[in-house]
Amino acid sequence: MKIDAIILRELHLPLVRPFETSFGVTSSRRILLAEVRSEGLTGWGECTAGEHPFFSPESTDSAWTVIVNELGPLLASESPEHGGQCPRLFRGVRGNRMAKATLENAIWDLEAQRQGVSLAKLLGGVRDVVPCGVSLGIQSSIPALMETIERELAAGYQRIKLKCKPGWDVEVFEKVRSRWPAITLSCDANSAYRLRDADHLTSFDAFDLLMIEQPLWHDDFYFHSMLQKRLRTPICLDESIHNRRDALAAIEMESCRIINIKLGRVGGFSEAIAVHNAAQERGIPVWCGGMLETGIGRSHNIALSSLENFTLPGDVSASARYWAEDIIEPEVSVSSAGEIAIADAPGRGYEVRTELVERLTVRKETIRAVELESLAAPASSR
Ligand code: OSB
Ligand code: MG
């Protein structure tokens, strides 16, 4: 497919309520969207980088720069037949996986439309509904958290994940467990603990958690494997897993028993499928993480979650939990059984509300092909 243009935008969108993790509070998102136009069709991609490089080294601004200066011109100069060719095309650029995923996912989105199949089918998905959980930020008080949990359970969500950190952990788990002894409960520390907390972390075993997500350093495997030996509760890795090789190392070292797959963190659909397959072959279940996405990233997460080994409820929940008005139509909704139905329509299954996108756009840049040969030529011949 010939790439006619790549339009990169930044949108500003306030969250309906602030989201607090061990690394900070997010009240409003700066969302990057890529719109890839080819032969009369438009594929969309959403960048999952945060406003600050706190979750990963990437940020909205770093991704903008890398897409505009490096990845966008590379892609616009090629005519990829499908998204699986992007990793090779981008391989000269190290890291910057969220920036890469923004463009690669737009190509898959485009390809599904071109073939007239759903994105889920194109990826190899087998499910028609996705089990959903919620990720609950650190709250102002325990009563406030209890009220939130009550609301989410009443809405049907199958699993409650509590963000935690030193000072917001065992006391909270105790209160939640004494009120709801049997719900599926997990926690996510976003790397808030150190080895000196190992005894404290083993006390989490008392609460029958489905998993403890990323308790230690964001770039660690070895100490997670030491900790896992001491824990009955499975560790789930999020931040540490950037590709299939990381997944293999983590599984081999027994650093985790569950893997969270995020499209942006692993660089796009190709690598997400590779991580999924590697985990499946080794009996390690996976689930799809969220990064406070708008409907575009959310629709891609839903399609990914249709793959066979996504057996645990993901952090893919309804649009209304994040946005007063989402930029897709229909909005993502979750049934009273805590499931999202996967549409069988061609493409991502949700229309982009382009007028709303235009209204929310605060910066925009159109990227076209560059003459790579002239860039590569020796100075004397330019
Ligand atoms: O660690 O899973 C995480 C949000 C931002 C950064 C990191 C994480 C999260 C979430 C939110 O847990 C999941 C969501 O509801 O999108
Ligand atoms: Mg996480």
Side-chain angles (χ1 to χ4, degrees):
M1 56 182 107
K2 184 182 173 305
I3 307 294
D4 299 318
I6 301 167
I7 301 159
L8 190 64
R9 300 161 178 276
E10 176 176 339
L11 277 63
H12 286 185
L13 249 93
L15 287 165
V16 291
R17 58 186 86 86
F19 187 75
E20 181 170 347
T21 66
S22 63
F23 61 79
V25 184
T26 307
S27 304
S28 187
R29 298 289 336 274
R30 290 174 60 202
I31 301 276
L32 284 195
L33 295 181
E35 191 182 337
V36 179
R37 298 211 178 140
S38 168
E39 300 164 12
L41 295 172
T42 301
W44 290 85
E46 174 170 344
C47 184
T48 63
E51 292 65 38
H52 301 279
F54 297 164
F55 173 81
S56 88
E58 293 186 79
S59 66
T60 307
D61 290 311
S62 77
W64 179 278
T65 302
V66 169
I67 292 171
V68 168
N69 294 337
E70 310 285 349
L71 307 174
L74 274 174
L75 179 62
S77 308
E78 285 287 318
S79 297
E81 277 317 304
H82 72 89
Q85 293 168 341
C86 286
R88 195 160 44 84
L89 181 61
F90 295 154
R91 96 188 134 182
V93 174
R94 288 199 177 150
N96 293 284
R97 292 181 179 82
M98 293 174 174
K100 290 174 179 173
T102 312
L103 297 185
E104 181 184 323
N105 295 349
I107 300 295
W108 284 86
D109 188 300
L110 196 54
E111 178 62 7
Q113 295 172 52
R114 242 168 55 124
Q115 288 192 19
V117 298
S118 71
L119 181 56
K121 283 273 152 48
L122 183 67
L123 298 170
V126 297
R127 314 171 177 278
D128 45 24
V129 294
V130 168
C132 304
V134 285
S135 173
L136 302 183
I138 293 164
Q139 311 276 311
S140 55
S141 68
I142 290 180
L145 175 67
M146 303 295 264
E147 225 171 89
T148 307
I149 295 175
E150 193 159 303
R151 189 179 63 233
E152 303 294 9
L153 291 172
Y157 287 103
Q158 300 182 19
R159 178 274 273 145
I160 302 286
K161 161 172 140 183
L162 304 175
K163 288 292 186 178
C164 66
K165 64 176 182 182
W168 184 265
D169 51 22
V170 286
E171 190 194 339
V172 175
F173 305 152
E174 253 159 30
K175 290 272 167 40
V176 173
R177 264 295 175 235
S178 63
R179 172 108 169 251
W180 292 285
I183 59 168
T184 305
L185 191 66
S186 71
C187 70
D188 184 0
N190 290 109
S191 304
Y193 299 94
R194 295 295 171 255
L195 279 186
R196 62 173 173 273
D197 303 314
D199 287 340
H200 179 62
L201 288 165
T202 58
S203 75
F204 290 17
D205 274 344
F207 304 104
D208 192 25
L209 303 175
L210 179 63
M211 68 190 91
I212 302 176
E213 191 176 337
Q214 199 76 35
L216 305 175
W217 297 269
H218 70 95
D219 54 359
D220 171 75
F221 295 120
Y222 178 73
F223 292 106
H224 279 97
S225 80
M226 295 291 107
L227 178 64
Q228 181 67 87
K229 287 189 209 315
R230 299 191 48 195
L231 285 174
R232 195 166 44 81
T233 310
I235 290 177
C236 170
L237 289 179
D238 173 354
E239 282 89 329
S240 295
I241 307 291
H242 304 101
N243 50 39
R244 176 176 186 274
R245 214 163 27 76
D246 283 345
L248 293 177
I251 295 168
E252 184 107 337
M253 292 173 75
E254 299 180 35
S255 308
C256 65
R257 296 185 194 143
I258 296 174
I259 292 176
N260 166 338
I261 300 183
K262 287 180 177 166
L263 274 172
R265 201 192 64 232
V266 302
F269 280 122
S270 308
E271 198 65 30
I273 295 168
V275 172
H276 164 275
N277 293 348
Q280 183 168 27
E281 286 156 14
R282 289 157 185 81
I284 297 290
V286 303
W287 54 279
C288 183
M291 293 290 286
L292 312 175
E293 290 94 342
T294 72
I296 291 172
R298 198 165 295 282
S299 66
H300 290 175
N301 288 341
I302 293 167
L304 179 67
S305 304
S306 70
L307 271 65
E308 197 174 12
N309 194 35
F310 281 84
T311 51
L312 297 170
D315 279 348
V316 185
S317 49
S319 299
R321 296 189 61 252
Y322 307 83
W323 317 112
E325 218 182 358
D326 202 344
I327 59 174
I328 53 162
E329 213 163 44
E331 298 205 333
V332 174
S333 62
V334 171
S335 75
S336 56
E339 292 174 334
I340 297 174
I342 299 180
D344 204 29
R348 81 189 83 76
Y350 298 86
E351 291 302 320
V352 175
R353 298 175 62 185
T354 48
E355 273 172 34
L356 179 59
V357 166
E358 190 64 43
R359 233 186 315 128
L360 296 168
T361 297
V362 298
R363 106 170 131 148
K364 183 170 167 180
E365 187 146 337
T366 302
I367 305 161
R368 292 180 201 279
V370 287
E371 296 303 326
L372 286 174
E373 275 171 40
S374 71
L375 288 177
S380 58
S381 68
R382 262 183 221 155

